[in-house]
Structures are given as structure tokens and as C-alpha cells.
Amino acid sequence: MKIGLKLAITFFLIAFLSMSVIGIISYLRAKHSLEKQSFDRLTAFRELKSGQIEDYFQLINDQIVTLAENPTVISAMKEFESGFNKVANEINLSDREFNAIKERGDEYLKKEFLPRLNKNLQVKATLNDEVTYDKNSVILTDLYYVNNPNPIGEKHILMSAHDQSSYTKAHEKYHKILKDFAEKFGYYDIFLIDPATGNIVYTVYKEVDFATSLIDGPYKNTNLANAFNAVAKSENEHFVNQVDFMPYHPSYNAPSAFIACPIYDNGEKIGVLAFQMPIDKINDIMTNKQNWNNVGLGNTGETYIVGEDYKIRNQSRFLIEDSVDYFKMLSDIGEDKKVIAQIKNYHSSIGLQTVKTTGTEEALKGVNDTKIFPDYRGVSVLSAYKPLSIPDMHWVLMSEIDEEEAFEQVTALRNNIVVGFICLLLVVFAVSYVVSKQITKPLNELTFEALELANGNLEVEVKTAGKDEIGMLASSFKKMQASINKLILDLKDINHSLEDKVKERTEEVMKQKDLIEEKQKEIVDSIHYARRIQTTILPGNEYLGKNLPDFFVLFKPQSIVSGDFYWATRVVKKVDDKVVGERFYLAVCDSTGHGVPGAFMSILNISFLNEAINEKQIEAPNEILDYVRKRLIKNLSHEGGQDGMDGTVICFDKMKNTITYASAHNAPIMVRDKSIIELKADKMPIGKGIKTEPFTLHEIDHKKGDTIYFYTDGFADQFGGPKGKKFKYKTLNALLLENSELPLNEQAEMLLNAFTDWKGQLEQIDDVCVFAVRL
């Protein structure tokens, strides 16, 4: 990289780092300040809304207790209960008339109620799930619900059924009072309930729960029934019970919440008063009557309540403002399609929209905190949350605004910093370029003159104008030019002398090389000749085939000649030209060392074996090994050497049909019927060792089809495989057993391939000899 570019980059980096640090510090401080400001605002909203909603529920509590103590309500309870129980007797319908109004009621429910209800149910409701056939209930339902001329949702407009029953007289007297109360305070409905029978003797809005029993009627398992039962069992005159939102069939399975308290008259519990919670009022408090922008919540801020089932308890801002995007969002985050359909049907998220976030989980555990996390839309928000203190309700309040909107001023600041940063960098780069050009111009001229010198132009003119550091450098460079000229002349003289000396030394090296190559050829030729001698000594396949039923031999020297060997001889004993004994001896042995030293030892060992069997006529394999050991110790161990061999000598006595053997260290194995029989061996060498006890004679109990394997240690000790470890005897025995049923010539090929694959690119570390005989 040229110095001009280096200087420009250096100036640029200094400016870049300085401006980056200042910009980042400014950005982080602004973000922290705005984050604190946003959280403070959300916390203020959280506290404001929690106070409002808790006060509102306390107001509802006070209203229901006050209303229950009102003499008008006490009188209404008594008269409605009495009228309810007498209506059948007072109207006195014939069986035919009663059956007619019962059928009319069933037909009305089938046409008007059940289709609307079933739109919101996964398991469809039937007529039997929603009706009661108590005579008083059927008559009152017909008078004020089925035969009510007003449409569904406006049944409360009817003041009188215009009959002469006590119930209708009570209705004419009290209905307007209770209706006005419900409308004024926004209650969805008001109920008067007989504590003894559970009969709902009066409701303002006359839905299908009117005139049914909360003890044994179709709605005995609803949350309204839970609130009623709690109040009916309590002996406390001021007891109030609230129940959370749950799907409520009479309201077409929309989530509904209730509050209930007892009605006492002179110390006697005569009824239960219940309110169906005013959802609109709760929504108005939490949504600021949908004026989010006017109270500082911007375009994305909202406050909402979540219950212990992680369902929202008031309308989502995003459903109100943009229902299309809201339903798309629900689909994108994987909300259940059936839940989405219910929200569309009710156009309400209350009790349906799941809000399981970091904030709701912590708030439901009682934590009061502020954090940033993804909300129920998957959008990162700033959130302030806390649990609400409302009796019987495990609710939490969330106050949130999108992080993007909360930090939009920081984003604008960041963008301004980036623009200013880029402009300053361009100015710095231009200034850096001009300054670096002024510094590097004389350096470039000096560089050109240096290149000319490097290309052999020693006459180039070096300019020395200027008295600064670059001028001093040019003067020094000119002096160096004169020194180089003088040095080149001196080197030319020295070079001529060196060329003569190099020529002489090269001729001497070539003569030594030729001599070494000649000696190496002589040694290699000698080793190859030794191999031919060793091969001649080893028994041939034809000889072995005449004396063994079936065999294979895998013989793979580590180098040209081998210390491992196999040897065989046949001994025939005659008396008066009659064969009285015939033995075939086979030896598989591993001499000390490998290569040329091992080959010498193998020839000596074969000589001593031949001497013991054919000259000394020793018959037993153990005695043969004892004799060979004695000869080796006598000839090789007088100076402390421990050369010798490990191996096995086996005798096949063809007249007696016996097989005997003796083994030193390398124990043979026999495979019979797909199992291995490990044959024994003496743990001492054929040579000088720690132990010099006589070798043991073993007889092999054999049968046709048995295969005997002899091997030296070269195969098992070979390094290779994926981890460069030894092959090991256990692996070798398992390989022989696995392939023992193959013909022996195929086994030999298999072993050679296995050895080659295992060794891979590694060197062979020892001679390999494996010999097998199938009986």
C-alpha cells in the first residue's frame, strides 16, 4: 500500500473514530433519556388506569350492596318470587294450551336463539341443552320472551304482558325502576334470584336465562351459577362475590362476568341480586373512550387488562381502529382460526385474544415493573405493568406503546448524526488527500529513482532539492548510489574467483555421488539374491499341497527379505522296507528382527529345525523346540545376546491320525462350527529368556472341517485405520472367524485386502505370516 494512501487512510480513521464516538455517545444518551421519559409516561398511565378501574369495581361493589338494601328492591324480590311461584295457578292453562305455548317456545328457540348461539360454539348446542319445562318457567318465558313483540335485544322495552297475574302486576310496578338503573349505569343485565330454588325470577333484558333455575336448570354450570351459589351459601349479609369473564350461552356464548350479593329482609335472606358486568364502561376507562392520541398514547399506545387465563378483558385498540390489519396479525402469529372467527362474530376480543408475554407472566406473579419486550402482536413495545387489586379477580394491567414510536425522535437524531457524519467524512477525506499528495510527491520521485537503480541504471540522477527530512533522505540515497557503484566493481572481481572454486567442488561431489550409487546397487543386488535363497528354503505350494489336505499361506515381508518364515518337512520311518511311521512337520515362526538381520536368523533357525528333525530324528514337537533353543543359546548367547524366535511346530502323524504341537508365545487358534478354540502356548521364547523350562507338548482333538490358524505378530501389530492404532489379535481372530466358511484361497485374498486397507498410507512395521490348514 502506498504511503499517500496510508496517510489518507490514517487521517480518515482518526476523524472517523472521533466522530463515531461522539455520535454514539450522543445517540445512547438521547435514547436513554427518551426511554426513561416514555416509561415514566406509561407508568403514570398505568397508575391512573389501575386506580380508575379499581375505583370503578369498588363503585360496582357499593352499588350492588346499596341496591340490595333498598326497600324497593326488597319488596320487588318478594313480589317477583311470589308471583313466579303462583303464575301457573293464576293463569290456569289447560293441558292443550300449555303444550301449545311450550311448542311455541321450542320453535322460537330453534329459529331465533340456537342458530345465533351455534355460530360461536365448536360443539353445537341442542334444544334440550337450553330449555326447562317447569310450568311456571314455560308460562313466564312465553309471556315476556317468546311472545314479547319486541325483537331480540329489545325485550326489556315490554313493561307488561297485560294479564291479571300477580307477576305481571309486580312487573308493571318495578320493571321501569330496575330498567332505568341498568341503563343509567351501563349494566348488561340485572337479576333477581330465589336463593332456595335458584330460579331467576326477574331479569331486565329477558334473555333465555330468564325463568330458569341456577340449581338444576340448563345454566347450572355457568359462572353466574357460581356467583349465585357462593352468595347462597354465605351467611354474611354484606358478602359480595365477583366471577371473571367466561363464555355464557344466554349471551350467545360471549364472555361475561357477574357480581352478586344477598338480599336480606329483617335478618332473613330472601333473594340474590346479580349484575352482568358493564363491558362498555370498562372499555371506556381503558380506551379513554377511544381517545388515545388526546391523552398522549400516540398512534400505538394502549392500556388493557389481562386475566389469569392470559385473555384480554377489554377491547384491543388495534381491533377498534383497523380490524382488517388486526385479523391479519392474529393469523400471522398463529392464533386459532376458531378463536379468530369468534372475535369476528362478536366484534370483540374480550375473553378471546391471548396475551401471553413477558409482562403478563411477571405481573400475574405479582411483579410491578417496566420492560421492553414483544407484545401480543409480536411487536417490540415499552411496557409498564402491575397486578390489579380487585376482589375475586386475578387481573393485571398493561400500559404499552410501540418501541418504534417511542424512539422515533431518537431515530430522527440518529439519521441527522449519520448525515452529518457522512458530510464531515467527505470533507476529511478531501483534505487528507490534498495533504498526503503534498507529502508524497517528493517521495514518489525518490521512489522512481530507486526503481531505476534497482533495474541497473546506476547513472540515474538523484535530486536533492529541499532541506526537510525528505531532502536529507535524498542526499543519503545519492551517497548510497556511489557506494553501490564501488561495491559492484569489487563483487565482479570476487565473482570470477568463486566461479573457479565452485567448478572444482562440483566435480568432486559428482565423483562421490557415482561411487555411492554403485555401492548401493551392489547392496540391493545382494539383498535380492538373499531373497532368492530364502525363497528356495521355504517349502513350495506343490510340496505343501501333497502333504496337507487344504491350506493357505499369507507371507508378506516388511522389506525384501523376512525374519518370519514357514518351513515343512516329511519324515517316513521304514522297517524292512515297510513304512511303519509317517509324520509331516510344519513350523510357522517369527525370528528376532526383520529385513537382512531377520533373514539371517530365519536361515539359522530353519537349519536347527532341520537338524533336530531329519538328523537327530527327534519326533515330539516340544523336544524339537527344546533342542533348537539349546543350539541357539550355545551359538548366539555367549556374549549376552537373546536372539532366537517365537513360533509353533506342529506334527501331523498320518499313521496314528493325531496332531501334536508345541508353541512359544504365538498360540495358534482352531475354528470349529463358527466358534474359536484358543490353543495353548508356552510364554517363553525359543532362545535365551527369563524361563528355560521344557516346552509343553499339546495334542489337538480334531475333526473333519476344523481349520487351524498360525500367525506371527506382524498382522496384529500393524498400525492403521482411521485413528492410526494397532490392528490387535482380537480383531484378527474375529476377522478369521467371520470368514472361516470361505474357501481357504478366498480367505487369503480377504486377509491381504484387509491388511492393505488397514495400513493405508502408513509403512509396514514388521513381517507378516499367516498359515491356515483345513482338516
Side-chain angles (χ1 to χ4, degrees):
M1 185 182 294
K2 293 185 178 182
I3 192 169
L5 182 57
K6 288 182 179 178
L7 286 170
I9 291 174
T10 301
F11 293 147
F12 178 81
L13 286 176
I14 291 171
F16 176 83
L17 291 174
S18 301
M19 290 186 290
S20 295
V21 170
I22 294 170
I24 290 171
I25 291 173
S26 300
Y27 172 75
L28 291 177
R29 284 183 175 177
K31 183 176 181 181
H32 176 74
S33 176
L34 193 59
E35 181 178 321
K36 184 178 183 303
Q37 180 183 346
S38 298
F39 273 131
D40 289 345
R41 186 167 65 251
L42 288 174
T43 301
F45 275 116
R46 180 193 69 190
E47 296 304 318
L48 173 65
K49 292 304 169 186
S50 64
Q52 288 178 344
I53 203 71
E54 288 168 359
D55 290 346
Y56 180 64
F57 271 87
Q58 184 60 48
L59 175 64
I60 294 174
N61 189 301
D62 294 342
Q63 282 182 345
I64 195 168
V65 170
T66 302
L67 190 64
E69 294 173 348
N70 188 293
T72 301
V73 172
I74 295 172
S75 299
M77 181 69 231
K78 290 192 288 187
E79 292 182 33
F80 277 126
E81 180 184 348
S82 174
F84 183 96
N85 293 325
K86 294 190 299 185
V87 68
N89 292 329
E90 290 178 346
I91 293 181
N92 194 22
L93 297 175
S94 66
D95 290 343
R96 185 179 62 79
E97 291 173 327
F98 178 77
N99 288 332
I101 65 171
K102 184 171 71 170
E103 290 175 5
R104 182 165 61 205
D106 290 349
E107 191 64 26
Y108 187 86
L109 288 177
K110 288 179 184 178
K111 286 184 178 181
E112 299 294 333
F113 176 71
L114 285 176
R116 297 187 186 190
L117 172 63
N118 284 331
K119 284 173 60 178
N120 303 315
L121 294 177
Q122 295 182 23
V123 178
K124 304 304 181 186
T126 63
L127 181 65
N128 290 333
D129 298 327
E130 308 297 328
V131 298
T132 181
Y133 290 121
D134 173 77
K135 199 164 188 179
N136 293 324
S137 298
V138 171
I139 292 170
L140 285 174
T141 300
D142 182 69
L143 290 173
Y144 286 94
Y145 179 66
V146 175
N147 215 25
N148 188 325
N150 299 296
I152 289 176
E154 297 180 9
K155 300 290 185 180
H156 64 292
I157 296 174
L158 180 67
M159 293 294 174
S160 173
H162 304 296
D163 61 275
Q164 300 303 314
S165 67
S166 300
Y167 187 90
T168 294
K169 291 176 181 178
H171 198 273
E172 292 170 349
K173 183 177 180 182
Y174 298 110
H175 178 64
K176 186 176 187 309
I177 297 170
L178 294 172
K179 179 174 78 73
D180 290 347
F181 183 91
E183 290 175 342
K184 181 176 181 180
F185 293 104
Y187 290 110
Y188 188 88
D189 208 346
I190 296 177
F191 304 82
L192 294 177
I193 309 167
D194 184 345
T197 62
N199 290 328
I200 301 175
V201 298
Y202 171 81
T203 71
V204 171
Y205 285 92
K206 304 299 186 298
E207 293 187 332
V208 293
D209 49 7
F210 169 61
T212 62
S213 171
L214 295 178
I215 294 177
D216 55 13
Y219 307 118
K220 63 184 178 182
N221 295 319
T222 61
N223 55 344
L224 173 59
N226 293 338
F228 161 75
N229 288 326
V231 173
K233 291 176 183 177
S234 174
E235 298 300 327
N236 183 355
E237 289 189 24
H238 302 290
F239 179 77
V240 176
N241 182 251
Q242 298 182 74
V243 289
D244 203 348
F245 286 92
M246 286 181 60
Y248 187 60
H249 275 207
S251 296
Y252 306 106
N253 209 44
S256 302
F258 298 89
I259 184 170
C261 74
I263 301 173
Y264 275 84
D265 183 27
N266 295 322
E268 179 187 358
K269 187 190 296 182
I270 63 169
V272 174
L273 174 65
F275 292 168
Q276 190 166 349
M277 291 293 190
I279 293 174
D280 291 340
K281 290 289 185 179
I282 297 172
N283 272 330
D284 286 345
I285 293 172
M286 299 309 297
T287 65
N288 296 287
K289 296 185 177 180
Q290 302 184 19
N291 290 319
W292 295 278
N293 283 299
N294 295 339
V295 294
L297 285 175
N299 296 319
T300 60
E302 64 172 336
T303 53
Y304 57 90
I305 299 170
V306 177
E308 62 183 344
D309 58 354
Y310 294 101
K311 303 293 186 183
I312 199 167
R313 293 299 190 262
N314 60 274
Q315 287 286 54
S316 166
R317 172 179 185 173
F318 304 101
L319 172 61
I320 295 170
E321 290 190 332
D322 189 347
S323 61
V324 175
D325 279 353
Y326 175 80
F327 289 121
K328 183 178 182 300
M329 174 272 295
L330 289 181
S331 179
D332 290 342
I333 64 174
E335 183 64 83
D336 191 322
K337 292 181 179 179
K338 294 176 181 178
V339 172
I340 296 174
Q342 286 182 304
I343 295 174
K344 287 181 178 179
N345 287 341
Y346 300 134
H347 199 69
S348 171
S349 57
I350 299 171
L352 298 171
Q353 167 71 55
T354 300
V355 185
K356 191 169 186 179
T357 64
T358 300
T360 57
E361 289 178 342
E362 291 191 2
L364 285 169
K365 293 175 183 177
V367 177
N368 183 333
D369 203 355
T370 58
K371 277 187 180 178
I372 298 176
F373 51 79
D375 70 353
Y376 59 89
R377 301 167 296 147
V379 176
S380 183
V381 296
L382 278 68
S383 178
Y385 49 86
K386 66 175 292 186
L388 289 171
S389 179
I390 300 174
D392 303 321
M393 298 292 195
H394 191 192
W395 287 359
V396 297
L397 186 139
M398 313 294 292
S399 179
E400 296 176 344
I401 189 170
D402 286 7
E403 183 180 13
E404 182 180 356
E405 182 178 5
F407 293 151
E408 62 184 358
Q409 294 180 20
V410 176
T411 303
L413 174 62
R414 181 197 62 197
N415 294 339
N416 291 335
I417 290 173
V418 170
V419 171
F421 183 75
I422 292 171
C423 293
L424 284 174
L425 282 182
L426 292 174
V427 172
V428 169
F429 184 78
V431 172
S432 300
Y433 178 77
V434 172
V435 173
S436 64
K437 287 292 286 182
Q438 291 177 348
I439 294 173
T440 57
K441 181 179 179 182
L443 287 175
N444 289 335
E445 292 176 353
L446 188 58
T447 301
F448 172 77
E449 292 156 2
L451 289 173
E452 287 293 306
L453 279 174
N455 290 329
N457 183 9
L458 299 177
E459 303 302 325
V460 65
E461 181 183 359
V462 178
K463 300 175 182 177
T464 57
K467 298 188 181 294
D468 56 9
E469 288 82 354
I470 298 175
M472 294 170 65
L473 178 63
S475 298
S476 299
F477 203 77
K478 191 167 186 177
K479 292 177 183 179
M480 184 184 70
Q481 180 185 24
S483 298
I484 290 173
N485 275 323
K486 183 178 180 303
L487 180 61
I488 288 174
L489 292 173
D490 293 341
L491 287 174
K492 285 180 179 179
D493 293 337
I494 295 169
N495 188 51
H496 288 302
S497 299
L498 286 175
E499 286 178 353
D500 294 338
K501 289 181 180 180
V502 169
K503 186 175 182 182
E504 291 174 7
R505 292 289 185 269
T506 302
E507 289 177 355
E508 290 179 10
V509 170
M510 292 303 295
K511 288 179 182 179
Q512 292 295 327
K513 175 178 174 292
D514 293 339
L515 181 61
I516 291 170
E517 288 179 348
E518 183 179 351
K519 294 299 181 182
Q520 183 184 22
K521 184 176 182 302
E522 291 176 1
I523 293 170
V524 172
D525 289 343
S526 298
I527 295 173
H528 279 288
Y529 186 70
R531 180 181 182 182
R532 287 197 294 273
I533 294 172
Q534 187 180 45
T535 303
T536 303
I537 294 172
L538 299 179
N541 288 344
E542 183 178 354
Y543 179 74
L544 293 170
K546 289 180 180 179
N547 291 281
L548 294 173
D550 191 9
F551 75 95
F552 81 72
V553 59
L554 173 63
F555 184 65
K556 187 173 178 60
Q558 186 263 349
S559 55
I560 299 172
V561 289
S562 172
D564 288 8
F565 68 89
Y566 59 95
W567 178 79
T569 185
R570 177 172 172 267
V571 178
V572 178
K573 188 175 182 180
K574 295 183 179 180
V575 176
D576 297 331
D577 294 330
K578 182 179 179 182
V579 176
V580 295
E582 181 180 354
R583 296 183 181 87
F584 183 74
Y585 293 91
L586 174 66
V588 178
C589 301
D590 180 3
S591 302
T592 303
H594 50 72
V596 174
F600 280 123
M601 281 301 303
S602 70
I603 292 172
L604 184 60
N605 289 330
I606 290 171
S607 174
F608 288 154
L609 285 169
N610 184 61
E611 180 181 312
I613 297 171
N614 292 316
E615 294 181 18
K616 300 299 182 179
Q617 297 184 353
I618 301 172
E619 296 181 352
N622 60 319
E623 294 176 0
I624 294 170
L625 294 187
D626 289 338
Y627 178 82
V628 172
R629 178 174 62 187
K630 180 179 177 182
R631 293 283 284 136
L632 287 168
I633 293 173
K634 180 179 179 181
N635 286 276
L636 298 178
S637 303
H638 54 277
E639 294 182 357
Q642 294 186 351
D643 295 319
M645 63 177 173
D646 296 334
T648 301
V649 173
I650 187 167
C651 173
F652 299 90
D653 191 325
K654 298 192 176 181
M655 300 294 288
K656 297 179 181 179
N657 194 28
T658 61
I659 301 174
T660 56
Y661 77 95
S663 185
H665 281 310
N666 292 340
I669 64 169
M670 182 168 71
V671 175
R672 173 184 295 169
D673 301 328
K674 293 296 287 182
S675 62
I676 289 179
I677 301 172
E678 295 185 358
L679 304 180
K680 296 180 179 180
D682 293 312
K683 300 300 180 182
M684 53 186 177
I686 307 168
K688 187 174 182 180
I690 298 173
K691 294 170 62 178
T692 56
E693 298 172 3
F695 285 98
T696 306
L697 179 66
H698 303 280
E699 183 173 348
I700 299 175
D701 180 18
H702 65 283
K703 68 177 185 178
K704 186 176 181 181
D706 291 347
T707 305
I708 304 174
Y709 296 92
F710 313 86
Y711 40 68
T712 61
D713 59 0
F715 200 118
D717 288 347
Q718 177 62 45
F719 290 100
K723 297 184 179 179
K725 294 186 176 181
K726 288 185 177 182
F727 195 85
K728 296 185 179 179
Y729 287 102
K730 183 178 180 181
T731 309
L732 176 58
N733 289 347
L735 184 64
L736 293 172
L737 177 64
E738 182 183 351
N739 296 276
S740 60
E741 294 184 348
L742 295 175
L744 291 186
N745 61 329
E746 293 183 19
Q747 290 189 38
E749 184 179 353
M750 174 276 300
L751 280 176
L752 179 59
N753 291 336
F755 182 82
T756 302
D757 292 342
W758 179 261
K759 181 174 73 67
Q761 299 300 316
L762 300 179
E763 292 184 0
Q764 183 175 335
I765 65 168
D766 200 357
D767 303 321
V768 173
C769 183
V770 182
F771 202 109
V773 178
R774 178 168 286 168
L775 305 178

